[in-house]
Amino acid sequence: MSAIDFRPVSGESRAEPSSTTLSHLRVAVVHDWLVVYGGAERVLEHILDCFPQADVFSLIDYVPDSQRVFLRGKQPRTSFFQNIPGIARHYRKFLPLMPLAIEQFNLREYDLVVSSSYCVAKGVLTGPNQTHLCYCHSPMRYAWDHYHDYLQEHKLERGPISWFVRWQLHQIRTWDVRSNNMVDHFVANSKFVQARIRKFYQRDSALVYPPVETDLFSLQTDKENFYVAAGRLVPYKRLDLVVDAFSVMSDRQLVLIGDGPEITKLRSKAGPNVKVLGFQPNDVLKDYLSRARAFIFPSEEDFGIIPVEAQACGTPVIAFGSGGALETVLPFVEENLGMKATGVFFNQQTPESLIAAIECFEKHETDFNPYFISEHAAKFSPASFKTQLLEQIRWALLNRSYIPPAPLPPAAPELEASSEYSSPVIHE
């Protein structure tokens, strides 16, 4: 399936996307929650660029004033969650109430509803005369395929609290499956997420990769002798294995950028060849990405924006060969030295597997062309995202299951006054 094609489940022939303007539509854009400017919020930013007339809905809105530019001056309409004391820090604890909260938004006045969903946003209630397109970042990972990892990470594998949480997540899964019926058309952010949607919801979806601001990153061909890794310092990102690998490779230099609950643990494990910088502004991150010998990406992500940003700088990526990296990184294969590549994969999330990939990269480092790597990253630009998303929205509008009939023209005054009016005769 191509990035802008969608084949209905039934396989029937449907109308092609139209170039008709969408500016006349009444549009609601629904996002799960607004607390930081992260990857999902970058997508929301470009959705709002497509629909300047849209109203925004979110369970809560606690984005700091310094980060609100992406909302394009809009004031989101929030749920009853907004008034709960301490909700900004503890909103995740209210997961069992989120389905109820999202269903309270009254969207009856809108022609088009676009949900930006990785939790419950897709569950908003819409009618048969409305079109609901869901841009799905992922079905809820902690309720589905990351369920056991979630319990283990939060030490909820045993005890009465464990069983209470398990029951809650069971209820969430039931609602999550049922609420997917509210969506007319799914758009996934990667083939990996397409597989999740098919597995959990039994629905087909279109593919539109997220927008990456590749034009904000400068190509740099002269690389320096250090590696860089970056991301939120949480367990599933697996940045610990990068630190462990460089503890063995003490003759290589690593710069680790990011903040999170794992930062103290990682700093204690880091040797003198590993610099843990913590949180850094975007300009600092860009600088390190552009100068690094390679970017290391050890986690399994639905898409993964930073590897694309690194490639936009002409920097190769050494990535765990799973999830979105399989779609954004062109892997080097020793058996085919003539094939152009943008990175190297390792197959297991272990220090040993990562070390082998780094050694493979260094052996063939001269085969990586910074110009080609940068050109490859440009395929994930915001312009490409907007074009493809609008094509999917036009398709969904033209192929919705119910199209309200056009209103009848007002009757002529002389006909209204006549009691002998009969339907016209059609002459062939």
Side-chain angles (χ1 to χ4, degrees), residues 298-327:
S299 61
E300 180 187 79
E301 296 283 0
D302 302 318
F303 177 73
I305 288 178
I306 299 183
V308 179
E309 294 175 337
Q311 292 174 83
C313 301
T315 302
V317 175
I318 301 172
F320 176 50
S322 181
L326 295 175
E327 303 170 52

Coordinates of all heavy atoms in Angstrom, one line a residue, residues 298-327:
P298 N 18.5 2.8 20.3 CA 18.3 1.4 20.8 C 16.9 1.0 21.1 O 16.7 -0.2 21.5 CB 19.2 1.4 22.1 CG 18.9 2.8 22.6 CD 18.8 3.7 21.4
S299 N 15.9 1.8 20.9 CA 14.6 1.5 21.4 C 13.7 1.0 20.2 O 14.0 1.3 19.0 CB 13.9 2.7 22.1 OG 13.8 3.8 21.3
E300 N 12.6 0.4 20.5 CA 11.6 0.0 19.6 C 10.5 1.1 19.6 O 9.7 1.1 20.6 CB 11.0 -1.4 19.9 CG 9.9 -1.8 18.9 CD 9.2 -3.1 19.3 OE1 8.4 -3.0 20.1 OE2 9.6 -4.2 18.7
E301 N 10.4 1.9 18.6 CA 9.5 3.0 18.5 C 8.4 2.8 17.4 O 8.7 2.1 16.4 CB 10.2 4.3 18.3 CG 11.1 4.7 19.4 CD 10.4 5.3 20.6 OE1 9.2 5.3 20.6 OE2 11.1 5.6 21.6
D302 N 7.3 3.4 17.6 CA 6.3 3.3 16.5 C 6.8 4.0 15.2 O 6.5 3.6 14.1 CB 5.0 4.0 17.0 CG 4.4 3.4 18.2 OD1 4.5 2.1 18.3 OD2 4.0 4.1 19.1
F303 N 7.5 5.1 15.4 CA 8.1 5.8 14.2 C 9.5 6.2 14.6 O 10.5 5.6 14.1 CB 7.3 7.0 13.8 CG 7.9 7.8 12.7 CD1 7.9 7.3 11.4 CD2 8.5 9.0 12.9 CE1 8.5 8.0 10.3 CE2 9.0 9.8 11.9 CZ 9.0 9.2 10.6
G304 N 9.7 7.2 15.4 CA 11.0 7.6 15.8 C 11.5 8.9 15.0 O 11.9 8.7 13.9
I305 N 11.3 10.1 15.6 CA 11.6 11.3 14.9 C 13.1 11.6 14.9 O 13.7 12.0 13.9 CB 10.8 12.5 15.5 CG1 9.3 12.3 15.1 CG2 11.3 13.8 15.0 CD1 8.4 13.4 15.7
I306 N 13.8 11.4 16.1 CA 15.2 11.8 16.2 C 16.1 11.1 15.1 O 17.0 11.7 14.6 CB 15.7 11.6 17.6 CG1 14.9 12.5 18.6 CG2 17.2 12.0 17.7 CD1 15.4 12.4 20.0
P307 N 15.9 9.8 14.8 CA 16.7 9.2 13.8 C 16.6 9.9 12.4 O 17.6 10.0 11.7 CB 16.2 7.7 13.7 CG 15.6 7.5 15.1 CD 15.0 8.8 15.5
V308 N 15.4 10.4 12.1 CA 15.2 11.1 10.9 C 15.9 12.5 10.9 O 16.6 12.9 10.0 CB 13.7 11.3 10.6 CG1 13.5 12.1 9.3 CG2 13.0 10.0 10.4
E309 N 15.9 13.1 12.1 CA 16.6 14.4 12.3 C 18.1 14.2 12.1 O 18.8 15.0 11.5 CB 16.2 15.0 13.6 CG 14.7 15.4 13.8 CD 14.4 15.9 15.1 OE1 15.1 15.5 16.1 OE2 13.4 16.6 15.3
A310 N 18.6 13.1 12.7 CA 20.0 12.8 12.6 C 20.4 12.7 11.1 O 21.4 13.2 10.6 CB 20.4 11.6 13.4
Q311 N 19.6 11.9 10.4 CA 19.9 11.7 8.9 C 19.8 13.0 8.2 O 20.5 13.2 7.2 CB 18.9 10.6 8.4 CG 19.1 9.2 9.0 CD 18.1 8.3 8.5 OE1 18.2 7.7 7.4 NE2 17.1 8.1 9.3
A312 N 18.9 13.9 8.6 CA 18.8 15.2 7.9 C 20.1 15.9 8.0 O 20.5 16.8 7.1 CB 17.7 16.0 8.5
C313 N 20.9 15.6 9.0 CA 22.3 16.2 9.2 C 23.3 15.5 8.4 O 24.5 15.8 8.5 CB 22.7 16.3 10.7 SG 21.5 17.2 11.7
G314 N 22.9 14.4 7.7 CA 23.9 13.6 7.1 C 24.6 12.6 8.0 O 25.6 12.0 7.6
T315 N 24.0 12.4 9.2 CA 24.6 11.5 10.2 C 24.0 10.1 10.1 O 22.8 10.0 10.2 CB 24.4 12.1 11.6 OG1 25.0 13.4 11.6 CG2 25.0 11.2 12.6
P316 N 24.8 9.0 9.9 CA 24.3 7.7 9.9 C 23.6 7.3 11.3 O 24.0 7.9 12.3 CB 25.5 6.8 9.6 CG 26.5 7.8 9.1 CD 26.3 9.1 9.7
V317 N 22.8 6.3 11.2 CA 22.1 5.8 12.4 C 22.4 4.4 12.7 O 22.3 3.5 11.8 CB 20.5 6.0 12.2 CG1 19.8 5.4 13.4 CG2 20.2 7.5 12.1
I318 N 22.7 4.1 13.9 CA 22.9 2.7 14.4 C 21.7 2.4 15.2 O 21.6 2.9 16.3 CB 24.2 2.5 15.1 CG1 25.4 2.9 14.2 CG2 24.4 1.1 15.6 CD1 26.7 2.9 14.9
A319 N 20.8 1.5 14.7 CA 19.4 1.4 15.4 C 19.1 -0.1 15.6 O 19.6 -1.0 14.9 CB 18.4 2.0 14.5
F320 N 18.3 -0.3 16.7 CA 17.7 -1.6 16.9 C 16.7 -1.9 15.7 O 15.9 -1.1 15.4 CB 17.0 -1.6 18.2 CG 16.2 -2.9 18.5 CD1 16.8 -4.1 18.4 CD2 14.9 -2.8 18.9 CE1 16.2 -5.3 18.7 CE2 14.2 -4.0 19.2 CZ 14.8 -5.2 19.1
G321 N 16.9 -3.0 15.1 CA 16.2 -3.3 13.9 C 14.7 -3.8 14.2 O 14.4 -4.9 13.9
S322 N 13.9 -2.9 14.6 CA 12.5 -3.2 14.9 C 11.7 -1.9 14.9 O 12.3 -0.8 15.1 CB 12.3 -3.9 16.2 OG 11.0 -4.3 16.5
G323 N 10.4 -2.0 14.7 CA 9.5 -0.8 14.8 C 9.8 0.1 13.7 O 10.1 -0.2 12.5
G324 N 9.6 1.4 14.0 CA 9.7 2.5 13.0 C 11.0 2.6 12.3 O 11.1 3.1 11.2
A325 N 12.1 2.2 13.0 CA 13.4 2.4 12.4 C 13.5 1.6 11.1 O 14.3 2.0 10.2 CB 14.5 1.9 13.4
L326 N 12.8 0.5 11.0 CA 12.8 -0.3 9.8 C 12.3 0.4 8.6 O 12.6 0.1 7.4 CB 12.0 -1.6 10.0 CG 12.6 -2.6 11.0 CD1 11.6 -3.8 11.1 CD2 13.9 -3.1 10.6
E327 N 11.6 1.5 8.8 CA 10.9 2.3 7.8 C 11.7 3.6 7.5 O 11.4 4.2 6.4 CB 9.5 2.6 8.1 CG 8.7 1.3 8.3 CD 7.3 1.6 8.9 OE1 6.6 2.4 8.3 OE2 7.0 1.0 9.9

